[in-house]
Structures are given as structure tokens and as C-alpha cells.
Short mmCIF file of all heavy atoms in Angstrom, two decimals:
data_model
loop_
_atom_site.label_atom_id
_atom_site.label_comp_id
_atom_site.label_asym_id
_atom_site.label_seq_id
_atom_site.Cartn_x
_atom_site.Cartn_y
_atom_site.Cartn_z
N TYR W 108 126.51 95.37 80.83
CA TYR W 108 125.25 96.06 80.57
C TYR W 108 124.07 95.12 80.76
O TYR W 108 123.01 95.55 81.22
CB TYR W 108 125.25 96.64 79.15
CG TYR W 108 124.10 97.59 78.93
CD1 TYR W 108 124.07 98.84 79.55
CD2 TYR W 108 123.02 97.24 78.12
CE1 TYR W 108 123.01 99.70 79.37
CE2 TYR W 108 121.95 98.10 77.93
CZ TYR W 108 121.96 99.33 78.56
OH TYR W 108 120.89 100.19 78.39
N PHE W 109 124.25 93.86 80.45
CA PHE W 109 123.19 92.87 80.69
C PHE W 109 122.84 92.80 82.17
O PHE W 109 121.66 92.77 82.54
CB PHE W 109 123.65 91.50 80.19
CG PHE W 109 122.83 90.35 80.71
CD1 PHE W 109 121.55 90.12 80.23
CD2 PHE W 109 123.34 89.51 81.69
CE1 PHE W 109 120.78 89.06 80.72
CE2 PHE W 109 122.58 88.46 82.18
CZ PHE W 109 121.30 88.23 81.70
N LEU W 110 123.86 92.79 83.04
CA LEU W 110 123.62 92.78 84.49
C LEU W 110 122.82 94.00 84.91
O LEU W 110 121.88 93.90 85.72
CB LEU W 110 124.95 92.73 85.24
CG LEU W 110 125.80 91.47 85.07
CD1 LEU W 110 127.14 91.64 85.80
CD2 LEU W 110 125.06 90.25 85.59
N TYR W 111 123.18 95.15 84.36
CA TYR W 111 122.47 96.39 84.70
C TYR W 111 121.02 96.33 84.24
O TYR W 111 120.11 96.72 84.98
CB TYR W 111 123.17 97.59 84.06
CG TYR W 111 122.34 98.85 84.09
CD1 TYR W 111 122.18 99.57 85.27
CD2 TYR W 111 121.68 99.30 82.94
CE1 TYR W 111 121.40 100.72 85.31
CE2 TYR W 111 120.91 100.44 82.96
CZ TYR W 111 120.76 101.15 84.14
OH TYR W 111 119.98 102.28 84.18
N VAL W 112 120.79 95.84 83.03
CA VAL W 112 119.44 95.79 82.47
C VAL W 112 118.55 94.87 83.28
O VAL W 112 117.40 95.21 83.60
CB VAL W 112 119.48 95.34 80.99
CG1 VAL W 112 118.07 95.01 80.48
CG2 VAL W 112 120.10 96.42 80.13
N ILE W 113 119.04 93.69 83.64
CA ILE W 113 118.25 92.76 84.45
C ILE W 113 117.90 93.39 85.79
O ILE W 113 116.74 93.33 86.24
CB ILE W 113 119.02 91.44 84.67
CG1 ILE W 113 119.17 90.68 83.34
CG2 ILE W 113 118.31 90.56 85.70
CD1 ILE W 113 117.86 90.24 82.73
N TYR W 114 118.88 94.02 86.42
CA TYR W 114 118.64 94.71 87.69
C TYR W 114 117.61 95.82 87.51
O TYR W 114 116.66 95.94 88.31
CB TYR W 114 119.96 95.28 88.22
CG TYR W 114 119.78 96.30 89.33
CD1 TYR W 114 119.47 95.91 90.63
CD2 TYR W 114 119.91 97.67 89.06
CE1 TYR W 114 119.30 96.86 91.64
CE2 TYR W 114 119.74 98.62 90.05
CZ TYR W 114 119.43 98.21 91.34
OH TYR W 114 119.25 99.15 92.34
N ARG W 115 117.77 96.61 86.47
CA ARG W 115 116.89 97.76 86.22
C ARG W 115 115.45 97.31 85.95
O ARG W 115 114.50 97.90 86.49
CB ARG W 115 117.42 98.56 85.04
CG ARG W 115 116.65 99.82 84.72
CD ARG W 115 116.75 100.84 85.84
NE ARG W 115 116.00 102.05 85.50
CZ ARG W 115 115.67 102.97 86.39
NH1 ARG W 115 116.01 102.82 87.66
NH2 ARG W 115 115.00 104.04 86.01
N LEU W 116 115.29 96.28 85.15
CA LEU W 116 113.94 95.79 84.82
C LEU W 116 113.23 95.25 86.05
O LEU W 116 112.01 95.41 86.19
CB LEU W 116 114.03 94.71 83.74
CG LEU W 116 114.43 95.18 82.34
CD1 LEU W 116 114.61 93.99 81.41
CD2 LEU W 116 113.36 96.13 81.77
N ILE W 117 113.98 94.62 86.93
CA ILE W 117 113.38 94.10 88.17
C ILE W 117 112.97 95.24 89.08
O ILE W 117 111.88 95.22 89.67
CB ILE W 117 114.36 93.14 88.88
CG1 ILE W 117 114.57 91.88 88.05
CG2 ILE W 117 113.85 92.77 90.27
CD1 ILE W 117 115.63 90.95 88.58
N VAL W 118 113.82 96.26 89.18
CA VAL W 118 113.55 97.40 90.06
C VAL W 118 112.33 98.18 89.60
O VAL W 118 111.46 98.54 90.41
CB VAL W 118 114.78 98.33 90.14
CG1 VAL W 118 114.41 99.66 90.82
CG2 VAL W 118 115.90 97.65 90.90
N ILE W 119 112.23 98.45 88.29
CA ILE W 119 111.10 99.23 87.78
C ILE W 119 109.89 98.34 87.45
O ILE W 119 108.88 98.82 86.96
CB ILE W 119 111.51 100.04 86.54
CG1 ILE W 119 111.88 99.12 85.38
CG2 ILE W 119 112.63 101.00 86.87
CD1 ILE W 119 112.23 99.86 84.10
N LYS W 120 110.02 97.07 87.74
CA LYS W 120 108.92 96.10 87.59
C LYS W 120 108.36 96.05 86.16
O LYS W 120 107.15 96.05 85.94
CB LYS W 120 107.80 96.41 88.59
CG LYS W 120 108.24 96.29 90.04
CD LYS W 120 107.13 96.60 91.01
CE LYS W 120 107.61 96.44 92.45
NZ LYS W 120 106.54 96.74 93.44
N GLN W 121 109.27 96.00 85.20
CA GLN W 121 108.88 95.84 83.80
C GLN W 121 109.40 94.49 83.29
O GLN W 121 110.11 94.40 82.30
CB GLN W 121 109.43 96.98 82.95
CG GLN W 121 108.75 98.32 83.20
CD GLN W 121 109.22 99.40 82.24
OE1 GLN W 121 110.02 99.15 81.34
NE2 GLN W 121 108.69 100.61 82.42
N THR W 122 109.03 93.47 84.01
CA THR W 122 109.53 92.13 83.71
C THR W 122 108.50 91.34 82.89
O THR W 122 107.39 91.09 83.35
CB THR W 122 109.82 91.37 85.01
OG1 THR W 122 108.69 91.48 85.89
CG2 THR W 122 111.05 91.94 85.70
N ASP W 123 108.91 90.94 81.69
CA ASP W 123 108.07 90.08 80.87
C ASP W 123 108.57 88.64 81.00
O ASP W 123 109.46 88.35 81.80
CB ASP W 123 108.05 90.55 79.42
CG ASP W 123 109.45 90.60 78.81
OD1 ASP W 123 110.42 90.18 79.47
OD2 ASP W 123 109.57 91.07 77.66
N LEU W 124 108.03 87.75 80.20
CA LEU W 124 108.42 86.34 80.27
C LEU W 124 109.90 86.16 79.98
O LEU W 124 110.59 85.40 80.68
CB LEU W 124 107.58 85.52 79.29
CG LEU W 124 107.90 84.02 79.20
CD1 LEU W 124 107.75 83.34 80.55
CD2 LEU W 124 107.02 83.35 78.14
N THR W 125 110.40 86.85 78.97
CA THR W 125 111.82 86.73 78.62
C THR W 125 112.71 87.17 79.76
O THR W 125 113.73 86.53 80.06
CB THR W 125 112.13 87.57 77.36
OG1 THR W 125 111.28 87.15 76.30
CG2 THR W 125 113.57 87.42 76.95
N THR W 126 112.36 88.26 80.42
CA THR W 126 113.14 88.75 81.55
C THR W 126 113.15 87.73 82.68
O THR W 126 114.20 87.49 83.31
CB THR W 126 112.58 90.09 82.06
OG1 THR W 126 112.51 91.01 80.97
CG2 THR W 126 113.46 90.65 83.15
N TYR W 127 112.00 87.13 82.96
CA TYR W 127 111.93 86.12 84.02
C TYR W 127 112.85 84.94 83.71
O TYR W 127 113.55 84.42 84.60
CB TYR W 127 110.49 85.62 84.18
CG TYR W 127 109.75 86.30 85.30
CD1 TYR W 127 109.14 87.53 85.10
CD2 TYR W 127 109.67 85.73 86.56
CE1 TYR W 127 108.46 88.18 86.12
CE2 TYR W 127 108.99 86.36 87.60
CZ TYR W 127 108.38 87.58 87.37
OH TYR W 127 107.72 88.22 88.38
N ILE W 128 112.87 84.52 82.47
CA ILE W 128 113.70 83.38 82.08
C ILE W 128 115.18 83.74 82.21
O ILE W 128 115.98 82.98 82.79
CB ILE W 128 113.37 82.93 80.64
CG1 ILE W 128 111.94 82.38 80.58
CG2 ILE W 128 114.36 81.87 80.17
CD1 ILE W 128 111.45 82.08 79.17
N SER W 129 115.57 84.89 81.68
CA SER W 129 116.98 85.30 81.73
C SER W 129 117.44 85.56 83.16
O SER W 129 118.54 85.14 83.55
CB SER W 129 117.19 86.56 80.88
OG SER W 129 117.00 86.29 79.51
N ALA W 130 116.61 86.24 83.93
CA ALA W 130 116.98 86.56 85.31
C ALA W 130 117.10 85.30 86.15
O ALA W 130 118.02 85.17 86.98
CB ALA W 130 115.96 87.51 85.92
N THR W 131 116.18 84.36 85.96
CA THR W 131 116.23 83.10 86.71
C THR W 131 117.53 82.35 86.42
O THR W 131 118.20 81.86 87.33
CB THR W 131 115.03 82.21 86.36
OG1 THR W 131 113.82 82.90 86.68
CG2 THR W 131 115.09 80.89 87.12
N ALA W 132 117.89 82.25 85.14
CA ALA W 132 119.12 81.54 84.75
C ALA W 132 120.35 82.24 85.31
O ALA W 132 121.26 81.58 85.84
CB ALA W 132 119.20 81.44 83.23
N LEU W 133 120.38 83.56 85.22
CA LEU W 133 121.53 84.32 85.71
C LEU W 133 121.70 84.17 87.22
O LEU W 133 122.78 83.82 87.70
CB LEU W 133 121.37 85.79 85.34
CG LEU W 133 122.45 86.72 85.91
CD1 LEU W 133 123.80 86.44 85.27
CD2 LEU W 133 122.05 88.18 85.72
N ILE W 134 120.63 84.43 87.96
CA ILE W 134 120.71 84.39 89.42
C ILE W 134 121.03 82.99 89.92
O ILE W 134 121.87 82.79 90.81
CB ILE W 134 119.39 84.90 90.04
CG1 ILE W 134 119.20 86.39 89.70
CG2 ILE W 134 119.38 84.70 91.55
CD1 ILE W 134 117.84 86.94 90.06
N LEU W 135 120.40 81.98 89.31
CA LEU W 135 120.65 80.59 89.72
C LEU W 135 122.10 80.19 89.44
O LEU W 135 122.74 79.54 90.28
CB LEU W 135 119.69 79.66 88.99
CG LEU W 135 119.73 78.19 89.41
CD1 LEU W 135 119.36 78.03 90.88
CD2 LEU W 135 118.77 77.36 88.54
N SER W 136 122.62 80.58 88.29
CA SER W 136 124.00 80.23 87.95
C SER W 136 124.99 80.88 88.91
O SER W 136 125.99 80.27 89.29
CB SER W 136 124.31 80.62 86.51
OG SER W 136 124.24 82.03 86.34
N ILE W 137 124.72 82.11 89.29
CA ILE W 137 125.60 82.82 90.23
C ILE W 137 125.55 82.17 91.61
O ILE W 137 126.59 81.94 92.25
CB ILE W 137 125.23 84.31 90.30
CG1 ILE W 137 125.61 85.00 88.99
CG2 ILE W 137 125.92 84.98 91.48
CD1 ILE W 137 125.17 86.44 88.90
N LEU W 138 124.35 81.83 92.06
CA LEU W 138 124.20 81.19 93.38
C LEU W 138 124.91 79.84 93.43
O LEU W 138 125.63 79.53 94.38
CB LEU W 138 122.72 81.03 93.72
CG LEU W 138 121.93 82.31 94.00
CD1 LEU W 138 120.45 82.00 94.23
CD2 LEU W 138 122.51 83.03 95.22
N VAL W 139 124.72 79.04 92.39
CA VAL W 139 125.35 77.71 92.35
C VAL W 139 126.87 77.83 92.26
O VAL W 139 127.60 77.03 92.86
CB VAL W 139 124.81 76.88 91.17
CG1 VAL W 139 125.56 75.56 91.05
CG2 VAL W 139 123.32 76.61 91.35
N SER W 140 127.36 78.84 91.52
CA SER W 140 128.80 78.99 91.33
C SER W 140 129.52 79.38 92.61
O SER W 140 130.76 79.27 92.68
CB SER W 140 129.10 80.01 90.23
OG SER W 140 128.68 81.31 90.62
N PHE W 141 128.80 79.82 93.62
CA PHE W 141 129.42 80.07 94.92
C PHE W 141 129.91 78.76 95.55
O PHE W 141 130.83 78.76 96.36
CB PHE W 141 128.44 80.76 95.87
CG PHE W 141 128.37 82.24 95.69
CD1 PHE W 141 127.23 82.84 95.22
CD2 PHE W 141 129.47 83.05 95.98
CE1 PHE W 141 127.15 84.21 95.05
CE2 PHE W 141 129.41 84.42 95.82
CZ PHE W 141 128.24 85.01 95.35
N ARG W 142 129.26 77.64 95.17
CA ARG W 142 129.63 76.36 95.74
C ARG W 142 130.47 75.50 94.80
O ARG W 142 131.41 74.84 95.22
CB ARG W 142 128.36 75.56 96.11
CG ARG W 142 128.71 74.26 96.83
CD ARG W 142 127.64 73.20 96.70
NE ARG W 142 128.05 72.01 97.44
CZ ARG W 142 128.83 71.05 96.93
NH1 ARG W 142 129.28 71.16 95.70
NH2 ARG W 142 129.19 70.00 97.65
N GLN W 143 130.12 75.48 93.51
CA GLN W 143 130.76 74.55 92.59
C GLN W 143 130.80 75.11 91.18
O GLN W 143 130.14 76.10 90.87
CB GLN W 143 129.99 73.22 92.57
CG GLN W 143 128.57 73.34 92.03
CD GLN W 143 127.74 72.11 92.31
OE1 GLN W 143 127.59 71.69 93.45
NE2 GLN W 143 127.19 71.53 91.25
N LYS W 144 131.57 74.45 90.34
CA LYS W 144 131.66 74.84 88.94
C LYS W 144 130.38 74.44 88.22
O LYS W 144 129.87 73.35 88.41
CB LYS W 144 132.86 74.14 88.28
CG LYS W 144 133.16 74.64 86.89
CD LYS W 144 134.46 74.03 86.36
CE LYS W 144 134.81 74.58 84.99
NZ LYS W 144 136.09 74.03 84.49
N ILE W 145 129.87 75.34 87.41
CA ILE W 145 128.62 75.07 86.70
C ILE W 145 128.88 74.71 85.25
O ILE W 145 129.94 75.02 84.70
CB ILE W 145 127.65 76.28 86.76
CG1 ILE W 145 128.25 77.47 85.99
CG2 ILE W 145 127.33 76.66 88.18
CD1 ILE W 145 127.28 78.61 85.76
#
């Protein structure tokens, strides 16, 4: 549900500071994990 909420908030453009922080951490961790263990 967290994945859905982050996606939904970005799509409807209701992103506050907390959303930016959480989304940045999530997306960055997923991108890095394609190459190596985080």
C-alpha cells in the first residue's frame, strides 16, 4: 500500500516535503539495488 500511495501522490501532484523525502529514499534504494546490495 505504501508503494501505491507514493505512486498516487506523485500522479495527482499532492506531494509535500514528507512525500518528497520518502519517495526519494524509495526510488533511490530500488535503483541502487539493481546493481548491488544496499
Side-chain angles (χ1 to χ4, degrees):
Y108 191 70
F109 164 73
L110 295 176
Y111 167 75
V112 169
I113 292 296
Y114 165 77
R115 183 66 179 164
L116 290 174
I117 293 174
V118 168
I119 64 177
K120 297 180 179 180
Q121 289 186 2
T122 49
D123 58 6
L124 177 58
T125 303
T126 306
Y127 262 84
I128 294 172
S129 293
T131 301
L133 174 68
I134 294 171
L135 185 61
S136 64
I137 290 175
L138 291 176
V139 174
S140 65
F141 277 113
R142 185 204 181 275
Q143 64 193 56
K144 189 173 183 178
I145 66 169

